[in-house]
Amino acid sequence: MFRIDEWTDFEAQDLALLALSVSEDIYQRDTEEALRELELLDEWLNESIHEGTADEVRSQLIQGFYQGLGFHGDWQDFFSSANSDLAAVLTGRQGIPVSLGILLIQLGRRIGLDVEGICFPGYFLVSFAGDEGEVYVDPFNGEVLSLTRIESLLRGALGNLASLSQDYLQPSGQWEIIERLLNVNKAALLRENRMTEALRASELLLRMKPGDPQETRDRGFIYEQLDCPRFAADDFEYFIEQCPDDPVADVLKMQLAALDLSPKPLH
């Protein structure tokens, strides 16, 4: 398995393999079992999906994925990092929209469907080219979504005055999808106080977006929690220099003043 920063062309790679690279890098795990699960899914496709119209094949895929194979959204522990770790999702068969969506995209493309991911505000959607236009699917449960339902998701994320337009429904490239997956992993790990793994997620994001001020700032907060004040200070100073008018810059100046940067004695 390649590391994320070794991919030279995100769009040329299998999306699921990119996502497994994220799991490997962040969680330092062996992904061989997950790769075997992917191979078994390919075998299932060959045995279970029959020729038909685009809508018929999509229906077979969705019914088989959620009902036959038992993949499902985790309602009880939605924000668990395991739900955004594709290796864990493949073996446990539960996840959240972005991780389940990646698998749905992977399988759909394997059988020739025109399927894309959409990094929608606050949610992740999957779109299929149907016999009479685009069909939008909630990857959390496989439900086909009306535009009215999608607009309600938008208003849940952006407020009641938000109005759905085609701009929100544009397909996302694989680079953007992996960035979304990394951010979800990072947020889950921070919530679980798993700072070393959260740092790995932040480092991967900075390989994708070198010098990004916001991500550098976030890494500084993680370094602070890991009791690495010098590294935290460097990241905070960089953010202040790059974004001097950002209100957070004033907060970080106070953070810097409070950091203990004195040399630590060796024992």
Side-chain angles (χ1 to χ4, degrees):
M1 182 76 66
F2 290 100
R3 293 170 62 85
I4 276 290
D5 56 338
E6 291 173 342
W7 293 114
T8 55
D9 183 357
F10 270 53
E11 303 308 316
Q13 310 302 331
D14 280 350
L15 182 58
L17 292 183
L18 288 167
L20 283 177
S21 292
V22 168
S23 294
E24 193 171 57
D25 276 356
I26 292 177
Y27 299 98
Q28 304 288 286
R29 64 160 71 245
D30 184 348
T31 55
E32 287 303 313
E33 184 180 358
L35 289 168
R36 284 195 295 272
E37 289 293 331
L38 270 182
E39 292 174 359
L40 291 173
L41 289 179
D42 280 343
E43 292 177 12
W44 171 80
L45 286 174
N46 293 331
E47 296 169 358
S48 304
I49 305 299
H50 307 292
E51 291 185 5
T53 66
D55 286 344
E56 288 169 345
V57 174
R58 184 198 74 245
S59 294
Q60 290 179 59
L61 173 62
I62 290 175
Q63 182 174 11
F65 185 73
Y66 294 96
Q67 298 177 28
L69 295 172
F71 283 94
H72 61 280
D74 185 0
W75 292 99
Q76 293 185 320
D77 199 9
F78 186 93
F79 296 106
S80 167
S81 60
N83 288 327
S84 51
D85 171 4
L86 195 71
V89 172
L90 276 164
T91 55
R93 301 206 170 184
Q94 66 179 18
I96 51 176
V98 66
S99 55
L100 293 171
I102 285 170
L103 289 178
L104 205 55
I105 292 166
Q106 174 84 6
L107 297 178
R109 288 174 176 171
R110 279 276 199 262
I111 52 177
L113 292 174
D114 184 357
V115 53
E116 302 285 351
I118 301 172
C119 291
F120 197 73
Y123 211 75
F124 187 81
L125 302 176
V126 173
S127 67
F128 290 85
D131 299 327
E132 298 181 1
E134 290 297 314
V135 176
Y136 301 100
V137 171
D138 180 350
F140 194 65
N141 55 20
E143 177 187 357
V144 174
L145 299 174
S146 66
L147 293 179
T148 300
R149 174 70 180 124
I150 293 173
E151 185 166 65
S152 73
L153 289 173
L154 181 70
R155 290 179 175 176
L158 301 183
N160 288 332
L161 297 180
S163 179
L164 184 65
S165 70
Q166 280 300 313
D167 290 341
Y168 289 113
L169 297 174
Q170 292 304 304
S172 300
Q174 297 195 160
W175 179 280
E176 189 179 355
I177 293 171
I178 294 301
E179 183 183 351
R180 169 71 70 97
L181 181 68
L182 279 167
N183 275 309
V184 171
N185 270 282
K186 185 181 76 172
L189 291 165
L190 288 172
R191 191 176 294 108
E192 295 168 8
N193 201 32
R194 295 166 64 179
M195 293 298 164
T196 298
E197 290 149 309
L199 178 61
R200 293 187 192 122
S202 185
E203 294 280 10
L204 283 173
L205 284 161
L206 281 167
R207 288 180 205 164
M208 294 179 71
K209 305 180 295 178
D212 181 78
Q214 281 72 31
E215 192 55 48
T216 303
R217 174 203 63 200
D218 287 358
R219 185 179 66 178
F221 286 125
I222 296 171
Y223 275 136
E224 187 177 19
Q225 293 299 311
L226 288 170
D227 196 24
C228 299
R230 181 67 268 170
F231 290 146
D234 289 344
D235 282 351
F236 291 162
E237 287 169 355
Y238 177 81
F239 179 84
I240 293 167
E241 176 186 322
Q242 297 296 314
C243 305
D245 297 327
D246 192 302
V248 176
D250 292 331
V251 176
L252 291 184
K253 289 174 185 177
M254 292 186 286
Q255 292 277 105
L256 277 169
L259 288 175
D260 179 7
L261 301 179
S262 60
K264 299 295 189 290
L266 297 177
H267 299 284

